[in-house]
Amino acid sequence: MKTIRCLLTGLGNIGRTFLEILPAREARLREQYGVELKFVGVGDSSGTAISPDGLDIAAIVALKNERRGVANLPGVGRPGGNLLEMVETTDADLLLEATPTDIETGQPGLDLVRAAFRRGMNVVMASKGALVTAFDELAASSDWNGDRTKPALRFSGAVASALPSVNIGWRDLAGGEIKSIEAVLNGTTQVMLTMMREGKTYDEALAEAQRIGVAEPDPTLDVEGWDAANKLLILANAVLRQPTKLSEMSVTGITGVTVADIEAASANGGALILLCKAEPGPDGRFALSVAPTAVPAEHPFSRLGRKESGIVYESDIFGRMVALNLGQGPTGTAAAMLRDTLSLYGK
Amino acid sequence: MKTIRCLLTGLGNIGRTFLEILPAREARLREQYGVELKFVGVGDSSGTAISPDGLDIAAIVALKNERRGVANLPGVGRPGGNLLEMVETTDADLLLEATPTDIETGQPGLDLVRAAFRRGMNVVMASKGALVTAFDELAASSDWNGDRTKPALRFSGAVASALPSVNIGWRDLAGGEIKSIEAVLNGTTQVMLTMMREGKTYDEALAEAQRIGVAEPDPTLDVEGWDAANKLLILANAVLRQPTKLSEMSVTGITGVTVADIEAASANGGALILLCKAEPGPDGRFALSVAPTAVPAEHPFSRLGRKESGIVYESDIFGRMVALNLGQGPTGTAAAMLRDTLSLYGK
């Protein structure tokens, strides 16, 4: 039985959900995987809570469900406690990084992951920012490029939640040559386009998506295609092994999509989706794009529902590999953090 | 750069294809994965060929394409050489097992794998027999149950070729609880049912499938559902971790399927498929069945084509996970052997 000392940074929907799904699984983790997760430090915008003996997960979840920060945890809470300082000074085996990271700077996640690697901690990321802004650096300071003596880096939840988009690409297609990728990686636009298929206008779909909490008050990152582009960027760097910048990608969002576009695409069983593509480019590199695209009825994505994501890899020896996931909000991403953790420590 | 000394037993379509796809990939294996495969011993029905310095892969492939056995390899061939003796006496790191195994006894694969484990060799299996007849034993003498000090056992190609049916179940859904499995795992029946959808009778479809080499001269194992049942049995033991015998499963083949059944199922976009199912049973165990089943248009399997396989896992925290593969004959299984090998040795 291995006891894994964990640090968890970020206790928004994903971080909180990760803690919520653990208690019911403790017995399974012990028996089937031979591991026990001990949280020695957690942090959110209120500060940190640190205890080498392990924090009370139920107490943290209860606090967060009252919309209060971990700094308020009796005895162990540290109001204003700094996340970076916690990672730099708390002894742990694994950093679970789930802060809302700035997609321009990768912060605060980037510095947190750097600090963890400096201290030899393994890292499981649910946040995208640092992977988007500094993938090469993170790969070079971890085992991602193949040096198993370096700390491990896993991030299967950062690209499309529970959908094993990264795992299928780097592990199940190992040894083959990937010819192309098609993917639907953004939940908000998939929900909105589905609503439009059901008769809503763009504005109505956006308003409804915001009302049910699927779209942010400022929906720009999602509806302009940048969230999907960031995920495709991670696939390009991590799976296609093609160092790529956002500026090299062609990105079109769904803000210009009309009901007429939806109806035309839906004719004969097709559908309009926000499609991420990696296809052979002129210069021997992959050309990467994100754009509203009409797919025909026979395309695996033509019947993707509201909460579904999907990826299609074309490989020389593995043929066409399709993966689709119907997930529920933050649970899928939290589940991916658990799968990554078990891939590192599970027996 | 790691040099992996390999033994390959069985040089039918899969074993031969595995050797065929390697030469064009040597550079990629060295650069991207840091490995080089050296074949120190191979064997087929003619005998064996053994060389500690490594055999000439191109020469073996050329010989097999002339429908001649490896015993005829100049200098290194051993007419009548025994496969088991080769495994017991040749120093190697990895056994790649691809013999046509007897599904009743698991032989000759079972004894070959036992011998490899006794000698501390890792094993990658493309053959099903030993996994069907002795899964518990193979798991107990390998790392499958979590003891990483034991030799590794991988068999992602034994269940549905390139489709990562096992990998998704034991790795991408790790930490979650699998509620059910639905899968299409037999290629021959999928091809025949597709032909019947296109208007052929059962007898015409079987004759055509035999003509193009998709069905065996004796098609019993496929058309009676036993091949699919054996694959589901492996998933039950390996992924659901439920020790299961073939006798506990309900198995119905497609021999009784009529054109009328096909037409009824195809109405409204549905389809008749040979469906493998694991669903909650009365006794807290999974009930396992294989039977021709009509799925509605919205089911992920309703539009599976001739050469497609698929699996649907329902998980508590990972939601519904669908994987589909459109592959080409033995290449997919050979590719799976390569992916398993790289998962063990790739950097």
Side-chain angles (χ1 to χ4, degrees):
Chain A
M1 248 281 295
K2 274 176 283 183
T3 298
I4 314 304
R5 296 168 304 165
C6 303
L7 296 176
L8 172 58
T9 50
L11 283 160
N13 284 339
I14 292 164
R16 193 194 70 248
T17 304
F18 182 71
L19 293 182
E20 279 173 344
I21 63 176
L22 286 181
R25 289 172 171 68
E26 280 175 2
R28 172 193 301 275
L29 296 188
R30 273 196 305 272
E31 291 150 27
Q32 191 174 336
Y33 301 94
V35 300
E36 168 184 67
L37 303 185
K38 180 164 104 177
F39 290 81
V40 295
V42 299
D44 59 20
S45 54
S46 74
T48 61
I50 299 173
S51 168
D53 305 328
L55 298 159
D56 178 344
I57 292 183
I60 298 171
V61 172
L63 202 63
K64 297 304 294 186
N65 287 334
E66 294 164 14
R67 306 192 161 290
R68 299 175 60 212
V70 293
N72 302 302
L73 274 176
V76 292
R78 304 186 181 189
N82 178 281
L83 298 188
L84 183 56
E85 187 189 341
M86 175 179 78
V87 176
E88 286 172 333
T89 59
T90 312
D91 291 334
D93 307 298
L94 172 69
L95 169 65
L96 294 146
E97 156 51 22
T99 59
T101 46
D102 179 327
I103 224 71
E104 307 291 329
T105 65
Q107 299 298 3
L110 180 54
D111 284 343
L112 296 174
V113 173
R114 284 172 171 155
F117 284 158
R118 276 198 304 273
R119 302 197 65 203
M121 285 181 213
N122 295 326
V123 173
V124 166
M125 300 179 71
S127 62
K128 281 188 304 296
L131 295 165
V132 168
T133 56
F135 187 85
D136 288 356
E137 177 196 331
L138 298 188
S141 31
S142 72
D143 67 345
W144 194 261
N145 290 347
D147 182 346
R148 298 188 182 188
T149 65
K150 293 182 175 176
L153 171 66
R154 297 293 181 271
F155 48 89
S156 76
V159 180
S161 186
L163 182 76
S165 51
V166 173
N167 286 354
I168 288 176
W170 77 291
R171 186 213 49 229
D172 292 323
L173 303 182
E177 185 182 350
I178 294 171
K179 302 291 191 180
S180 67
I181 300 176
E182 289 185 313
V184 171
L185 302 173
N186 178 261
T188 304
T189 49
Q190 179 62 20
V191 169
M192 288 174 61
L193 291 172
T194 310
M195 288 173 172
M196 290 178 74
R197 208 170 304 147
E198 294 159 0
K200 286 191 164 59
T201 65
Y202 175 86
D203 293 336
E204 291 167 345
L206 177 56
E208 174 66 5
Q210 287 173 318
R211 194 185 66 73
I212 61 177
V214 164
E216 305 281 337
D218 174 359
T220 311
L221 276 180
D222 290 317
V223 298
E224 298 284 3
W226 296 113
D227 175 74
N230 285 322
K231 291 168 174 169
L232 180 59
L233 187 73
I234 296 173
L235 288 176
N237 283 286
V239 175
L240 299 178
R241 305 264 171 186
Q242 170 176 302
T244 306
K245 293 192 185 55
L246 211 49
S247 57
E248 301 170 84
M249 301 169 60
S250 158
V251 181
T252 309
I254 68 165
T255 54
V257 173
T258 66
V259 172
D261 297 331
I262 299 281
E263 285 167 356
S266 304
N268 311 317
L272 191 79
I273 55 177
L274 184 61
L275 186 64
C276 301
K277 278 174 80 168
E279 54 196 338
D283 49 3
R285 284 166 56 89
F286 285 94
L288 304 170
S289 63
V290 176
T293 306
V295 293
E298 60 273 19
H299 193 287
F301 293 164
S302 66
R303 288 187 299 189
L304 277 183
R306 270 187 189 220
K307 294 180 170 173
E308 285 185 278
S309 56
I311 189 158
V312 180
Y313 283 102
E314 289 284 352
S315 157
D316 56 348
I317 51 175
F318 291 94
R320 186 181 75 181
M321 197 72 77
V322 179
L324 312 172
N325 178 254
L326 171 60
Q328 298 301 328
T331 304
T333 307
M337 293 172 75
L338 182 56
R339 132 179 109 204
D340 286 349
T341 300
L342 294 175
S343 77
L344 297 179
Y345 300 103
K347 71 177 185 181
Chain B
M1 248 282 293
K2 275 176 283 184
T3 298
I4 315 304
R5 297 168 302 167
C6 303
L7 296 176
L8 172 59
T9 51
L11 283 159
N13 285 338
I14 291 165
R16 193 194 69 249
T17 302
F18 182 70
L19 293 182
E20 279 174 343
I21 63 176
L22 287 180
R25 288 172 172 69
E26 280 175 0
R28 172 193 301 276
L29 295 190
R30 271 197 306 273
E31 290 149 29
Q32 191 173 336
Y33 300 95
V35 300
E36 169 184 68
L37 303 186
K38 180 164 108 177
F39 289 81
V40 295
V42 299
D44 60 19
S45 54
S46 74
T48 61
I50 298 173
S51 168
D53 305 329
L55 298 160
D56 179 345
I57 292 182
I60 298 170
V61 171
L63 203 61
K64 296 304 294 186
N65 286 334
E66 294 164 11
R67 306 194 161 288
R68 299 175 61 214
V70 293
N72 302 302
L73 274 176
V76 292
R78 304 186 181 190
N82 177 282
L83 298 189
L84 183 56
E85 187 190 342
M86 175 179 79
V87 175
E88 286 172 334
T89 59
T90 312
D91 292 334
D93 307 298
L94 173 69
L95 168 65
L96 294 147
E97 157 50 21
T99 59
T101 46
D102 178 329
I103 225 70
E104 307 291 329
T105 65
Q107 300 295 2
L110 180 53
D111 284 343
L112 296 174
V113 173
R114 284 171 170 155
F117 284 158
R118 276 198 304 273
R119 303 197 64 203
M121 286 182 213
N122 294 325
V123 173
V124 166
M125 301 179 70
S127 62
K128 280 188 303 296
L131 295 165
V132 168
T133 56
F135 187 84
D136 288 355
E137 177 196 333
L138 298 188
S141 32
S142 72
D143 68 345
W144 193 261
N145 290 347
D147 183 345
R148 297 187 182 188
T149 66
K150 293 182 175 176
L153 171 65
R154 296 293 182 271
F155 48 89
S156 76
V159 180
S161 186
L163 182 76
S165 52
V166 173
N167 285 355
I168 289 176
W170 77 290
R171 185 212 51 227
D172 291 322
L173 303 182
E177 184 183 350
I178 294 171
K179 302 290 191 181
S180 67
I181 300 177
E182 289 185 311
V184 171
L185 303 173
N186 178 261
T188 304
T189 49
Q190 179 62 19
V191 169
M192 287 174 61
L193 291 172
T194 310
M195 289 173 171
M196 290 177 75
R197 208 171 305 148
E198 293 159 0
K200 286 191 165 57
T201 63
Y202 175 85
D203 292 337
E204 290 166 348
L206 176 56
E208 175 65 6
Q210 286 173 320
R211 193 185 67 74
I212 61 177
V214 165
E216 306 282 336
D218 174 0
T220 311
L221 275 182
D222 290 318
V223 298
E224 298 285 2
W226 297 112
D227 175 74
N230 285 324
K231 290 167 176 170
L232 180 59
L233 187 72
I234 296 172
L235 288 176
N237 283 287
V239 176
L240 299 179
R241 306 266 172 183
Q242 171 176 302
T244 306
K245 293 191 187 57
L246 211 49
S247 57
E248 301 169 85
M249 299 170 61
S250 157
V251 181
T252 309
I254 67 165
T255 54
V257 172
T258 66
V259 172
D261 298 331
I262 299 280
E263 285 167 354
S266 303
N268 312 316
L272 190 80
I273 56 178
L274 184 61
L275 187 64
C276 302
K277 278 175 80 168
E279 53 196 336
D283 51 3
R285 284 166 56 88
F286 285 95
L288 304 171
S289 63
V290 176
T293 306
V295 293
E298 58 273 20
H299 193 287
F301 294 164
S302 66
R303 288 188 299 188
L304 279 183
R306 268 186 193 221
K307 294 180 171 173
E308 284 185 278
S309 56
I311 189 159
V312 180
Y313 284 102
E314 288 284 351
S315 158
D316 56 347
I317 50 175
F318 291 95
R320 187 182 73 182
M321 197 73 77
V322 179
L324 312 171
N325 178 253
L326 172 60
Q328 298 300 328
T331 304
T333 307
M337 293 172 74
L338 181 57
R339 130 179 111 200
D340 286 349
T341 300
L342 294 174
S343 77
L344 296 179
Y345 300 104
K347 71 176 184 182

